[in-house]
Amino acid sequence: KAVARRCANDMGMKYEDCRFIVAHMGGGITVGAHRYGRVIDVNDAIAGEGPFTPERCGQVPISQVISMCFSGAYTEEELQKMTSGTGGMYAYLGTNDLQKCERLIREGDEYAALVLESMAYQVAKEIGAMSAALEGRVDAIILTGGLAYSTRFTGVIKQRAGLIAPIKIYPGENEMLALAQGALRVLRGEEQLLTY
């Protein structure tokens, strides 16, 4: 939400008046539909929904997962690790570091290029799904998180999802700034303090 507020401000609008798709792309990838100040839909990356990520497998065919669970070949702990920790890009390339993946690509590794492009493709598909949640009326698509530093990665997403809405890129995590800005909004009386 903090990056969505920043984007709205940069566009001369209020977050509460905007319809955004926000893709936070790091070790996990979440893509959310923001409508007038509320997140109305988002994939649950921790539970395995959405695109594969640098270390998570994302959505997988459930029947094959069930077969693996009952095969006797894996413990529950091993299966958990395969889906979150050593899944995704790590399972394909042995690294969860997108910079290393891009280095492999520069050295001519076509398989690494396929993995990067496939991950970006899945993010673009999730953005398309969130466009449906917003009835196709999207003010901007916001790409944020550590993976947003990669122009190659964001370029694939732009190519596939750029017709939906303008794409705005805000790389980095920005968590501490978001917490500070939230506290300021409460102190200024712009927002109610919520207790979870």
Side-chain angles (χ1 to χ4, degrees):
K1 281 187 167 183
V3 175
R5 286 180 186 283
R6 181 175 159 197
C7 181
N9 186 59
D10 290 350
M11 293 171 63
M13 301 172 73
K14 288 178 57 181
Y15 171 60
E16 293 76 16
D17 296 330
C18 294
R19 298 165 72 96
F20 290 138
I21 297 170
V22 181
H24 183 85
M25 307 174 302
I29 297 174
T30 56
V31 182
H34 296 232
R35 183 176 64 198
Y36 308 133
R38 297 190 65 171
V39 179
I40 62 165
D41 198 354
V42 65
N43 66 293
D44 186 347
I46 292 175
E49 293 179 353
F52 78 86
T53 78
E55 52 195 40
R56 297 181 188 156
C57 66
Q59 292 176 343
V60 293
I62 195 67
S63 64
Q64 292 174 353
V65 173
I66 292 169
S67 295
M68 289 176 72
C69 291
F70 288 95
S71 71
Y74 307 98
T75 66
E76 180 182 351
E77 185 179 323
E78 289 171 325
L79 288 168
Q80 291 287 354
K81 191 82 168 155
M82 289 169 74
T83 60
S84 184
T86 61
M89 186 175 73
Y90 185 89
Y92 292 115
L93 300 176
T95 183
N96 63 1
D97 185 337
L98 193 65
Q99 290 179 337
K100 287 183 182 175
C101 175
E102 289 184 319
R103 189 173 335 116
L104 291 170
I105 294 168
R106 285 191 301 274
E107 293 168 359
D109 189 329
E110 292 179 17
Y111 185 67
L114 177 64
V115 169
L116 180 142
E117 290 169 16
S118 297
M119 188 165 55
Y121 167 78
Q122 288 191 359
V123 172
K125 272 183 28 176
E126 195 72 18
I127 288 168
M130 292 304 158
S131 172
L134 293 171
E135 296 125 358
R137 296 192 327 263
V138 182
D139 294 309
I141 297 165
I142 303 167
L143 306 179
T144 188
L147 301 183
Y149 283 110
S150 168
T151 55
R152 183 179 190 115
F153 188 73
T154 58
V156 174
I157 296 169
K158 282 181 180 181
Q159 179 184 5
R160 294 192 171 274
L163 290 176
I164 296 170
I167 294 184
K168 311 289 187 177
I169 300 175
Y170 295 85
E173 301 301 320
N174 304 303
E175 279 122 351
M176 291 298 137
L177 177 61
L179 288 170
Q181 289 171 336
L184 276 174
R185 284 191 305 278
V186 169
L187 291 171
R188 291 176 179 153
E190 299 168 1
E191 197 172 297
Q192 286 270 323
L193 178 64
L194 300 175
T195 304
Y196 292 93

